[in-house]
Structure formats: structure tokens, C-alpha cells
Amino acid sequence: GIQVEQSPPDLILQEGANSTLRCNFSDSVNNLQWFHQNPWGQLINLFYIPSGTKQNGRLSATTVATERYSLLYISSSQTTDSGVYFCAVVSVGAQKLVFGQGTRLTINP
Amino acid sequence: DAGVIQSPRHEVTEMGQEVTLRCKPISGHDYLFWYRQTMMRGLELLIYFNNNVPIDDSGMPEDRFSAKMPNASFSTLKIQPSEPRDSAVYFCASSLGALKETQYFGPGTRLLVL
């Protein structure tokens, strides 16, 4: 099955810093989503982005499908951005959303 | 819209007991998914339904697990008998359309089997 690798596994930053999270996948995909799991465990959709670039406030994402990676950018980090960020994909011809292991982001005040 | 609703939010039970988790998907969504999250295995799909019909249950760990969707607004995941290794957070998600669409997750049920 498809492999999804996220990096870095952990990231600790000061409030106000910018960050880039990466998701590599091993096969062509027709669905890619970024989620934020907050400290209370809630999984929140950030982006549905199988290709191209999207922006939502301080967050933006880019997926380069031909090179099999996606990037999540967080600018001017806030403490509320802390949590685990997951990338999840559905490979072409498959039926399951496969999650990476996540990047744990800690924003210190 | 209230989003995906799950109950209970927390469940503590003893080994051997039956556990039933419940989910109400977002109105109008025709796909419903059950996931399990553990430290060791991360987030993994257990089963999903399309228009109330189970499509893929290959992720269900064993026969102790069963899921039903009697109508478009309700689904259950049952574990009988439960074991300590079933302790995990169980998420329900729903989406409109096929697997190329955004999945929306419920708040999860945190299950502890003693």
C-alpha cells in the first residue's frame, strides 16, 4: 500500500515563528488532506489539496502531485497552533484514506 | 450543521464486556467511516459505508468487532467481548460523495478497557 511520511516528527517553536511541515507519499493520489489534532484530540480539517496551492489565513498548503509531496506552511505561529498535524492520502485506485504518523508542533509563548 | 456527533465521549469498561459506540454523520453525507487511533498504529480505517451499505471492512481487527448502519443518520461500532488491547480513541467521519471528497471527523470516543 501507499506509504506516507511526514517530517519533522517534532517541532518546537516560539510564538510568532513560521514553520513548514512536509508530507511525502509513495504513489499517485487523488485525495490529500491536512488535519490538525488539537490537544483535546479533535481532528480538524485544514485543507483538501490533492494538487495546487490553497491559503486560509495564516495557513497555506501546496501539493506537487507529480513529485509526490505536500507542504503545510504556518506563519506567525500562535500557541493555539500547537498539536499534531496529519497528512492523509487516498492513492489512485484505492479506497482508503491513509494517514501519516504526524508532526507534533509545540508553540511556546 | 452540528457536525459529526459521537457518543459516548468516554467509556471505561471491564474486559469481556460489550461496548457500543454510536455515530450520527453530517446530514446529507453518504459516506461514513470508522477509524481507530492508537499510539502504536496511529490512525487506521476500520470500515466504511456508502449509502448505509458496508463497502470495505478489511480494517476490522477481528470478529469481535462489528459495525452497522441501519439508516442514513446512525451507525454503531460494537466490540464484544472487549479486551484491554482495544483501548483507543475511535473516530467516526463522514463525507459527501466519493473518496475524493473531504472527510469530516467527529470528536471521538476514548475507550479504556480494564
Side-chain angles (χ1 to χ4, degrees):
Chain A
I2 191 168
Q3 303 298 311
V4 183
E5 295 183 0
Q6 293 186 241
S7 59
D10 292 279
L11 187 58
I12 301 174
L13 299 171
Q14 290 297 120
E15 200 168 22
N18 301 328
S19 58
T20 301
L21 283 58
R22 187 177 180 101
C23 172
N24 292 333
F25 41 96
S26 60
D27 204 351
S28 299
V29 300
N30 55 25
N31 184 332
L32 188 147
Q33 294 182 234
W34 282 97
F35 294 88
H36 174 215
Q37 187 166 38
N38 62 25
W40 295 271
Q42 177 74 40
L43 275 163
I44 300 166
N45 296 80
L46 298 177
F47 295 102
Y48 168 78
I49 187 167
S51 63
T53 297
K54 290 186 178 179
Q55 181 161 4
N56 184 4
R58 296 182 296 103
L59 275 61
S60 64
T62 296
T63 298
V64 184
T66 53
E67 298 188 20
R68 300 181 181 172
Y69 73 88
S70 183
L71 302 174
L72 178 68
Y73 305 96
I74 305 174
S75 64
S76 304
S77 299
Q78 301 176 357
T79 55
T80 52
D81 295 330
S82 296
V84 182
Y85 289 80
F86 289 101
C87 168
V89 304
V90 179
S91 60
V92 173
Q95 298 185 356
K96 297 183 180 183
L97 194 62
V98 176
F99 283 77
Q101 288 302 305
T103 291
R104 182 174 298 277
L105 177 64
T106 302
I107 305 297
N108 291 321
Chain B
D1 198 318
V4 177
I5 298 172
Q6 291 187 246
S7 65
R9 295 292 306 276
H10 303 272
E11 177 81 22
V12 180
T13 190
E14 294 187 344
M15 182 174 62
Q17 296 298 305
E18 178 179 292
V19 175
T20 299
L21 311 181
R22 298 172 176 80
C23 175
K24 176 179 169 57
I26 293 173
S27 177
H29 282 191
D30 55 352
Y31 280 78
L32 183 139
F33 309 83
W34 283 101
Y35 291 86
R36 180 172 66 176
Q37 185 177 32
T38 61
M39 289 294 292
M40 291 298 293
R41 300 176 65 90
L43 273 155
E44 52 183 348
L45 178 68
L46 299 178
I47 185 171
Y48 78 93
F49 296 83
N50 175 216
N51 291 323
N52 314 336
V53 176
I55 303 299
D56 185 346
D57 65 354
S58 59
M60 296 286 263
E62 48 196 276
D63 292 344
R64 296 185 297 106
F65 286 69
S66 63
K68 295 181 180 180
M69 191 165 185
N71 57 62
S73 59
F74 183 67
S75 177
T76 60
L77 179 66
K78 186 174 295 186
I79 309 173
Q80 167 62 20
S82 58
E83 297 183 1
R85 59 193 168 119
D86 301 331
S87 298
V89 180
Y90 291 83
F91 288 98
C92 176
S94 70
S95 68
L96 178 62
L99 292 174
K100 296 182 181 181
E101 302 297 326
T102 301
Q103 292 186 22
Y104 295 90
F105 280 69
T109 295
R110 189 173 297 273
L111 174 64
L112 177 61
V113 183
L114 302 174

